[in-house]
Structures are given as C-alpha cells and as structure tokens.
Amino acid sequence: TGNVSQEVTIDSVSVDLNTVPYSFRCWSTQKITRPSAVTTRSLLTEGYLRSITRSDNNPHGFLIEKWRILDNRDIKTEKR
C-alpha cells in the first residue's frame, strides 16, 4: 500500500550437515525501492533446517526453525 518493493539477492549460504537439525547462515543483499529513494542493505540471517515430508507446497522437504536476523544495516541510499 506504500508503493514499496523489495528484492533480496542471496550472496552465499553455509549449511552444517554434521548435526541435525542442520544449522545455516545466509548472507544476502536487500534492495528496498520507494518512490523517493532506493536503499541497499546488508542482510545476515541464521536458523535451522528440519527434514519434513515433501509436498507440492514444500518440494524440498525442509522446515526453517528459529530463524533470526543477525544484521540488517544500510549500505547506501540513492535518491530518485
């Protein structure tokens, strides 16, 4: 409703397959486009992947648990 769009680009993902549930970290870049400016942010998240039954809605068969944002800071803002 605020004429805002977002785009997240995954830079890299690390998954520890030695423990169950599998822990992961995801480094990405978030681009937020508003009518007045475009803001680019650094986004670092982590959580756990638990195996579940595959379905049409979840073809990979994983559930993300304990997901949290570790870092989400502005890198730059450009006026439009």
Side-chain angles (χ1 to χ4, degrees):
T1 61
N3 200 18
V4 177
S5 65
Q6 295 183 65
E7 177 183 333
V8 176
T9 304
I10 306 298
D11 299 325
S12 64
V13 176
S14 172
V15 180
D16 180 4
L17 299 175
N18 295 316
T19 59
V20 176
Y22 308 119
S23 62
F24 73 88
R25 265 201 181 178
C26 178
W27 292 265
S28 56
T29 305
Q30 179 184 28
K31 183 178 174 183
I32 304 168
T33 304
R34 297 180 178 93
S36 59
V38 177
T39 302
T40 304
R41 305 185 86 179
S42 165
L43 181 59
L44 173 59
T45 62
E46 72 176 9
Y48 294 89
L49 299 172
R50 182 169 51 95
S51 287
I52 60 172
T53 304
R54 291 178 185 227
S55 68
D56 289 342
N57 293 329
N58 187 356
H60 299 291
F62 287 106
L63 177 67
I64 296 174
E65 297 181 316
K66 299 181 183 176
W67 179 79
R68 64 187 194 133
I69 298 170
L70 300 176
D71 183 35
N72 191 18
R73 62 186 145 88
D74 290 355
I75 296 172
K76 67 179 178 180
T77 299
E78 299 171 327
K79 294 189 187 236
R80 296 181 80 191

